[in-house]
Amino acid sequence: MTSSIAHPLVPTLAPSLASLQPWVDAGVFGVAELHATEVITRSDPQASPLLHLGAALALWAPLHGHVCIDLGQASLITHAEVSNANDSHDTDDPDADDPDAETTAPSAFDTLVWPSTEQWTQALQASSVVRVVSAADPKPVLDKHPLVLNGLKLYTQRQWVDECIVATSLRVRCSGTSPAALSVSAQALLGRLLPATELNPTTHEHDPNTQHQAARMALSSTLGVIVGGPGTGKTHTIARLLAVMLDNAGDRGTPLRIALAAPTGKAATRLREAIIAASGATEGGRAILPTEIADQLTRLPTTTVHRLLGPRGPDSTRFVHDATNPLAHDVVVIDETSMVSLPLMARLLEAVRPDATLLLVGDPDQLESIEVGSVLANMVDAARLVESPLHQHVVRLNRPRRQQAGSPIAPLTDAIRDNKPNDVVALLRAGANDAATGLPLLTFVEHRDPSSATMLAAVRAVVFAPCAASLAAALDNRATDALHELTGVRVLCAHKRGPFGAETWNRTIEQWMLGHAASTRFYPGRALLITRNDPRTQLANGDTGVVVAQPDGIRAAFRIGDEVRLFAPSQLDSVETAFAMTIHKSQGSEYDTVVVVLPPETSPLIGRELLYTAVTRTTRRLIVVGTAEAVRKAVQTPGSRITGLTSALASANL
């Protein structure tokens, strides 16, 4: 039996917002949306219930990752999010991930009466607090209208301005050209490092080299977007492209200032490691890059996008570097761009000099930013259209290069991305072993019960050894070894809590390692995950570490750049256990072995991007535990962020 209940944190509604009570009872709106709705609509003496509903939804949308609300899809969008509420990985309810738990929201939601889009748009167009537009603003317009209506899309002014900044800035960059033509030496180096054609191992014919095409595109413009799945050579291309740029700058006698950044500290560290590895590559026993160029590349620091821009405070959304104080760099490279939110992309584009080259790198098929928008995916979608200014500025790398020949991961990710659920299940069930060692590379453990002996045994078989080795190193005060062992494996979950969640699996792995439940928060061998940027310690959201025992007490070890730094537990404010983690928090990371724990197909959190992101975190071995029904449901459920950026970038003119 179910009954409607009010949102647990919602106070009594203001009399003017009484019409929103049914949406409050259905669990749609919380305190933040209701308070802001009252503030922004009170200046309209003729404010109607339709304006109140639209304003509340426009404010609700960014809280759920959407840039705006589409009035024509409002019912479907909010229903999906309300269904997600009991399964949210951020909820404090320990039973929230239980797919069999009773939920009251759907019955209350089904009683909601939604207005027709014609009535709704007429009411919004008549309001003094709504600005009506037909296209993106070429320049930001900050006026007395807190809401902006574009067709059926209703924005808060803040989100609208950020979307316009991103759309306009990218379009302007598409028309910008690189001022420096390549010298003869740099041309030769480009031809050697990234030749125009390459041998196809399947057909044994020479095909056009998309890495060369990407480099040519980036060298001729102030905007280059290089996308592709894992192991397709994105960082390899960037490293060799930067080598050509450095060689060209050296020939001209002009220094080249390069910035390398990523959304998280972990992703920034991986970027640096990849650049260093590419710089030291050899062929036939000889270094591929000139020594001086390789040295310059290995000395380039990497940082987070926030640190690059210079936040004005720990939680500030404004930065030291902006349009009035741009970055000094001539080339700015952003890796893992799929994780960059719309507001952060707007601040970045404002801060990069108009004549500087901006290179955006990432995988558009991964999960979007955990915050607002899906900028990289929007850019790639728009670039498919010939009339879009981005059409010549996005290059997709398709050929897998990192994983060994015969690896089952590449065809699996292709089938997920291409929406082929039966192929995905077939590949998982077929499994695969390493040709040289006979060890399994791909395993599917089909089971619906996460606490079953079969599932627990399968996970323990791959998790226990590296975790135990890390524990032994931690007890022996070998921090570097302890950190290294933990990079070997990770359990990834869609949920944070509940039987399929990361917290449950962390407790299980702790029990395996220690032989008992953890009796203290900071024990030797505990894997750590930083969940918030901390300027005091220089630890960033996404950094991973391990607790080690030292003669003078317990310390937390983290690798920052090229060194391992130790911190007292009291210095760590926001930290979680990380033997298992949510798939969202694994973005920007890679592990030798990945265990993916799928919830039932009824989970609202399951989706294509989630499964794709989880699968692509492995560099060698993958174990998927769950059901075939859950796999099929995930593949067939693409994400849907509401945004107007694709259309703003798709047309020839604004």
Side-chain angles (χ1 to χ4, degrees), residues 50-61:
L50 295 185
L51 173 64
H52 291 144
L53 180 58
L57 287 169
L59 292 157
W60 170 93

Side-chain angles (χ1 to χ4, degrees), residues 31-41 55 59:
V31 176
E33 306 97 299
L34 295 173
H35 175 72
T37 296
E38 185 187 10
V39 170
I40 69 176
T41 59
L59 292 157

Side-chain angles (χ1 to χ4, degrees), residues 192-235:
R192 183 162 62 85
L193 297 180
L194 297 169
T197 62
E198 61 180 345
L199 186 65
N200 186 317
T202 302
T203 65
H204 302 290
E205 296 181 356
H206 279 83
D207 295 336
N209 183 1
T210 51
Q211 293 182 324
H212 179 88
Q213 294 169 358
R216 283 290 184 190
M217 173 263 295
L219 288 165
S220 62
S221 171
T222 55
L223 176 67
V225 184
I226 302 174
V227 300
T232 52
K234 298 186 295 293
T235 310

Side-chain angles (χ1 to χ4, degrees), residues 84-401:
N84 284 0
N86 285 339
D87 291 278
S88 171
H89 52 76
D90 293 324
T91 181
D92 291 327
D93 181 359
D95 298 319
D97 282 344
D98 184 355
D100 298 320
E102 186 176 28
T103 178
T104 62
S107 62
F109 194 96
D110 290 343
T111 66
L112 296 177
V113 179
W114 294 85
S116 70
T117 54
E118 183 178 1
Q119 288 177 310
W120 213 348
T121 54
Q122 286 177 354
L124 293 169
Q125 290 167 355
S127 173
S128 60
V129 300
V130 178
R131 184 164 72 94
V132 180
V133 300
S134 59
D137 296 318
K139 293 184 178 180
V141 176
L142 298 172
D143 60 16
K144 64 180 182 180
H145 300 93
L147 300 174
V148 179
L149 180 65
N150 182 12
L152 291 179
K153 291 184 171 67
L154 183 66
Y155 298 74
T156 64
Q157 185 182 83
R158 177 181 176 182
Q159 304 302 330
W160 172 254
V161 167
D162 281 345
E163 188 170 277
C164 290
I165 289 172
V166 171
T168 301
S169 299
L170 291 173
R171 295 175 72 96
V172 169
R173 285 194 164 274
C174 288
S175 61
T177 57
S178 179
L182 288 185
S183 65
V184 173
S185 170
Q187 286 276 14
L189 185 62
L190 174 62
R192 183 162 62 85
L193 297 180
L194 297 169
T197 62
E198 61 180 345
L199 186 65
N200 186 317
T202 302
T203 65
H204 302 290
E205 296 181 356
H206 279 83
D207 295 336
N209 183 1
T210 51
Q211 293 182 324
H212 179 88
Q213 294 169 358
R216 283 290 184 190
M217 173 263 295
L219 288 165
S220 62
S221 171
T222 55
L223 176 67
V225 184
I226 302 174
V227 300
T232 52
K234 298 186 295 293
T235 310
H236 171 94
T237 302
I238 288 295
R240 296 193 172 199
L241 168 61
L242 293 177
V244 172
M245 289 180 166
L246 286 167
D247 185 78
N248 194 51
D251 288 345
R252 296 177 178 278
T254 57
L256 189 68
R257 294 162 294 187
I258 299 172
L260 301 175
T264 67
K266 183 65 175 178
T269 299
R270 277 193 51 231
L271 174 60
R272 174 164 172 75
E273 292 170 349
I275 292 289
I276 291 174
S279 303
T282 60
E283 193 173 78
R286 300 181 60 183
I288 293 175
L289 297 183
T291 302
E292 182 180 354
I293 299 296
D295 288 344
Q296 291 182 65
L297 282 175
T298 56
R299 289 197 301 268
L300 289 175
T302 58
T303 186
T304 64
V305 179
H306 280 84
R307 288 177 187 159
L308 176 66
L309 297 178
R312 295 185 181 275
D315 299 308
S316 177
T317 58
R318 310 308 295 183
F319 297 91
V320 172
H321 293 289
D322 55 20
T324 62
N325 181 32
L327 294 163
H329 303 89
D330 305 298
V331 179
V332 176
V333 179
I334 306 298
D335 197 17
E336 298 286 359
T337 306
S338 65
M339 299 167 63
V340 178
S341 67
L342 177 73
L344 186 57
M345 182 61 76
R347 305 292 82 78
L348 174 69
L349 288 167
E350 288 175 323
V352 178
R353 295 194 338 256
D355 61 331
T357 298
L358 176 63
L359 299 175
L360 302 176
V361 187
D363 186 346
D365 300 304
Q366 286 187 27
L367 285 165
E368 309 98 334
S369 162
I370 201 168
E371 298 176 20
V372 179
S374 50
V375 178
L376 184 64
N378 292 161
M379 294 172 65
V380 173
D381 288 343
R384 293 190 177 99
L385 301 176
V386 176
E387 60 270 26
S388 169
L390 282 172
H391 184 64
Q392 298 296 328
H393 292 264
V394 177
V395 174
R396 180 183 281 273
L397 307 180
N398 289 312
R399 180 176 294 179
R401 300 168 188 272

Side-chain angles (χ1 to χ4, degrees), residues 479 483 522 526 528 530 539 545-550 553-559 564-572 575:
L483 286 167
F522 287 92
R526 181 192 178 198
L528 301 174
I530 298 296
L539 291 171
V546 65
V547 177
V548 297
Q550 290 203 308
I554 293 295
R555 295 291 183 270
F558 290 85
R559 182 176 293 281
V564 173
R565 293 179 56 188
L566 300 174
F567 300 91
S570 60
Q571 293 178 271
L572 306 180
V575 64

Side-chain angles (χ1 to χ4, degrees), residues 472-616:
L475 289 169
D476 197 33
N477 190 20
R478 291 182 286 114
T480 300
D481 292 341
L483 286 167
H484 175 72
E485 292 292 346
L486 284 178
T487 64
V489 67
R490 199 67 93 232
V491 176
L492 303 182
C493 308
H495 295 234
K496 181 175 182 179
R497 297 183 175 91
F500 299 91
E503 289 187 353
T504 298
W505 281 101
N506 273 318
R507 289 191 295 269
T508 298
I509 295 169
E510 285 177 339
Q511 180 77 39
W512 290 341
M513 279 179 54
L514 305 176
H516 54 77
S519 57
T520 181
R521 187 167 176 229
F522 287 92
Y523 56 85
R526 181 192 178 198
L528 301 174
L529 173 72
I530 298 296
T531 59
R532 186 177 181 182
N533 295 337
D534 187 347
R536 297 173 305 124
T537 60
Q538 296 300 301
L539 291 171
N541 182 19
D543 285 346
T544 54
V546 65
V547 177
V548 297
Q550 290 203 308
D552 58 346
I554 293 295
R555 295 291 183 270
F558 290 85
R559 182 176 293 281
I560 300 179
D562 295 330
E563 64 174 332
V564 173
R565 293 179 56 188
L566 300 174
F567 300 91
S570 60
Q571 293 178 271
L572 306 180
D573 290 334
S574 302
V575 64
E576 295 178 355
T577 304
F579 300 113
M581 60 201 303
T582 63
I583 297 168
H584 274 90
K585 290 181 179 178
S586 74
Q587 285 183 275
S589 301
E590 287 182 344
Y591 308 98
D592 180 73
T593 298
V594 165
V595 179
V596 180
V597 178
L598 289 179
E601 66 276 11
T602 54
S603 168
L605 297 184
I606 206 163
R608 184 186 301 163
E609 291 81 8
L610 195 81
L611 179 60
Y612 177 90
T613 301
V615 167
T616 55

